[in-house]
Structures are given as C-alpha cells and as structure tokens.
Amino acid sequence: MSETADVDALSVLVVVPTYNELDNIEDIVERTLRSVPRANVLIVDDGSPDGTGQLADKLVAANDRIRVLHRAAKSGLGAAYIAGFDWGLAQGYDVLVEMDADGSHAPEQLPRLLAALRDADLVLGSRWVRGGSVVDWPKHRELLSRGGNLYTRLALGIKLQDATGGYRAYRREVLEGIDYAAVASEGYCFQVDLAWRAVKSGFRVVETPIRFVEREQGESKMSGAIVREAYVRVTQWGVGHRLEQLRSLARGRR
Ligand SMILES: Nc1nc2c(ncn2[C@@H]2O[C@H](COP(=O)(O)OP(=O)(O)OP(=O)(O)O)[C@@H](O)[C@H]2O)c(=O)[nH]1
Ligand SMILES: [Mg+2]
C-alpha cells in the first residue's frame, strides 16, 4: 500500500520494552546499534525494581542513538509498545520495530526483517515458516505457540503462521492506519490484535523466518492469564468477523 522506495533510506526506531532486564538490556541495545547502523533504540521501562531503568539512563547518557521512556509502574507489554509507538511516530520515524530485551530476538536478524519491508508494510519475524526455528524451547512452549497460531488461523481465517510473535517491523503508515492506541490486549493477544488489524485494513503483511532463542537471563512474564486472554479474544474476534461476513452476505442477497 505504501511507497516501496528504497528501504535502506527509511529511518528506524527499535522499541524495546523492559521489565527487570538488567542482565540483558545493555547487550541487546549494543548489538542492535551495531547490526543496523541507521537505527535508534527506545527503551520503554516500567519502573523495573532491579534497576533496568537506571542502567538505561546511563546508556542514554553515553550514546545519543539511545532513548528511554520511564513509566511509573508495570502496566504490560502492550501499553509499553503503545507509548513507544506514540513517541516514535511523533519523532517522525519511518519504521518502528518491536523487539524483546531478553535475547530471544537476535538483533543480527533485524537487517533481514527490514529488507523484507521492500515488498511489505508489516514484516513479522516468524518461527513457524520454512527456515524459522526455536532454540532451547521446552516442548510445552512450542506446542502452546503452534496450537495458538493454528487456532488463530482457524478462528480469524488468516494465513499467518506466526501471528503471536513479537519481533516485527512496521512501516509508520500501518500504525497510523490501525488505531493501535485502542488495543487493550496484552501479551500474545496484543501481537495478534495488531497483525489482524493490519490484515483487515489491507496492508501487506509478510512473514520472514527468524531463529528464536529461549531467554537465558531473567524471568519470563508469561502466564496462564495471558494465554487465556488470547483464546477468549481471538474467539470473540473470529465470531464477530464471521457474523459480519454473514451480515454482508445477507445484505447482498436483499
Ligand atoms: N515495559 C514493560 N516491558 C515488559 C512488561 N512485561 C514484559 N515486558 C518485556 O517484554 C519483553 C517480552 O517479555 P517476556 O517476559 O520475555 O515474555 P515472553 O517472551 O512472552 O516470555 P518468554 O518466552 O518466557 O521469555 C521483555 O523484554 C520484557 O522485559 C511490562 O509490563 N512492561
Ligand atoms: Mg521472552
């Protein structure tokens, strides 16, 4: 939909949400800046008790390609990304990237994601397309992810193999076109919600393979509540979407 001009000329902001990522954040930011020399990084920290925010301040003071947003309390990955997108769009960035701080998303793969924007508006780093992989993931996490994605495809009628992943690159036009600020979902559901809105709005959404590595340091914030939320909401969207299709079919017959 958007102009496919030279993707290498687009300005890039990598948004990295953090909650207690003291052992990870410096490494991930440095690798990102090295991997994509034209990219800047925005850390969005939710008052991490372990001091991630203070370390972020030090990184910012030492390098003007790094910025930080401090938010008072832990209010979820989705809210952190929304704040990061708001900031990045206001600053005029052409491309906004989602990346975890825990090392699961290798910054060295970011050039590939960005290159795929040549023919896409939204690029999803995908574990479940040919060439994608997961490393050190327990079988139950793999099953959860594969099952969740299968369910998402069936419920919403979309083709995406990995709609729950959180390593992505958005052209700014996508974020401007999908009212992301209205997304109330958390965790996986936040990711599905954004992808689903982009597909419905007619943007070109493509998947590019990534090698996803289980976090080594720190604690996962995954929970049963996040999984349940995803199933409930995806089901609601799916049912709503089918009803809408039926309604427009009925209108067509009249
Ligand atoms: N600012 C902010 N960041 C968060 C919050 N919850 C999670 N994060 C960050 O979001 C990223 C993904 O969180 P993870 O805990 O790794 O969740 P996950 O990747 O689904 O779970 P694992 O696969 O077990 O690592 C990490 O960089 C976290 O630090 C939050 O409430 N606020
Ligand atoms: Mg993680």
Side-chain angles (χ1 to χ4, degrees):
M1 285 199 30
S2 31
E3 222 12 74
T4 305
D6 187 6
V7 286
D8 296 332
L10 301 175
S11 59
V12 177
L13 180 71
V14 182
V15 182
V16 183
T18 56
Y19 190 76
N20 287 348
E21 300 288 3
L22 190 64
D23 295 331
N24 296 317
I25 188 63
E26 186 164 8
D27 179 64
I28 213 73
V29 169
E30 271 177 12
R31 286 165 58 198
T32 303
L33 296 181
R34 220 180 309 132
S35 300
V36 184
R38 72 181 192 283
N40 292 344
V41 171
L42 175 70
I43 300 165
V44 185
D45 186 68
D46 279 6
S48 298
D50 73 348
T52 302
Q54 284 91 310
L55 175 55
D57 285 335
K58 278 193 201 143
L59 300 177
V60 169
N63 190 330
D64 63 7
R65 290 173 63 197
I66 309 171
R67 292 282 190 278
V68 61
L69 282 184
H70 293 287
R71 289 146 45 82
K74 179 164 169 36
S75 23
L77 176 100
Y81 271 125
I82 289 172
F85 293 157
D86 284 345
W87 188 88
L89 290 177
Q91 295 287 315
Y93 285 95
D94 300 315
V95 174
L96 293 104
V97 173
E98 293 182 10
M99 184 195 277
D100 286 358
D102 61 359
S104 288
H105 301 148
E108 293 71 22
Q109 300 180 348
L110 186 52
R112 262 223 326 267
L113 259 76
L114 295 173
L117 280 173
R118 202 173 300 278
D119 301 306
D121 301 304
L122 166 57
V123 174
L124 309 181
S126 178
R127 297 159 286 194
W128 310 124
V129 290
R130 187 186 299 272
S133 59
V134 293
V135 180
D136 293 337
W137 236 26
K139 202 71 199 168
H140 73 273
R141 287 297 303 267
E142 174 167 349
L143 283 175
L144 190 65
S145 177
R146 284 185 183 275
N149 274 295
L150 175 63
Y151 187 71
T152 303
R153 277 197 298 283
L154 293 174
L156 302 182
I158 54 177
K159 292 207 177 71
L160 301 174
Q161 301 299 311
D162 196 351
T164 59
Y167 195 10
R168 318 176 147 190
Y170 297 85
R171 284 181 185 264
R172 65 175 291 130
E173 292 81 0
V174 177
L175 294 173
E176 287 168 336
I178 62 173
D179 194 16
Y180 63 88
V183 173
S185 319
E186 274 311 317
Y188 300 121
C189 198
F190 176 78
Q191 308 297 0
V192 176
D193 201 333
L194 263 63
W196 170 233
R197 282 167 189 252
V199 169
K200 272 196 304 186
S201 303
F203 288 105
R204 299 167 302 172
V205 182
V206 305
E207 294 183 270
T208 198
I210 56 163
R211 182 171 180 270
F212 177 97
V213 185
E214 169 66 334
R215 69 156 67 238
E216 281 177 9
Q217 318 276 349
E219 256 174 55
S220 169
K221 285 107 204 158
M222 238 280 290
S223 69
I226 287 178
V227 177
R228 278 192 297 280
E229 181 203 35
Y231 275 103
V232 170
R233 294 216 179 185
V234 167
T235 304
Q236 285 168 345
W237 297 334
V239 170
H241 181 56
R242 306 292 160 161
L243 284 176
E244 189 44 48
Q245 282 176 328
L246 284 176
R247 265 187 227 117
S248 54
L249 216 92
R251 275 198 296 272
R253 289 229 182 90
R254 257 186 254 129

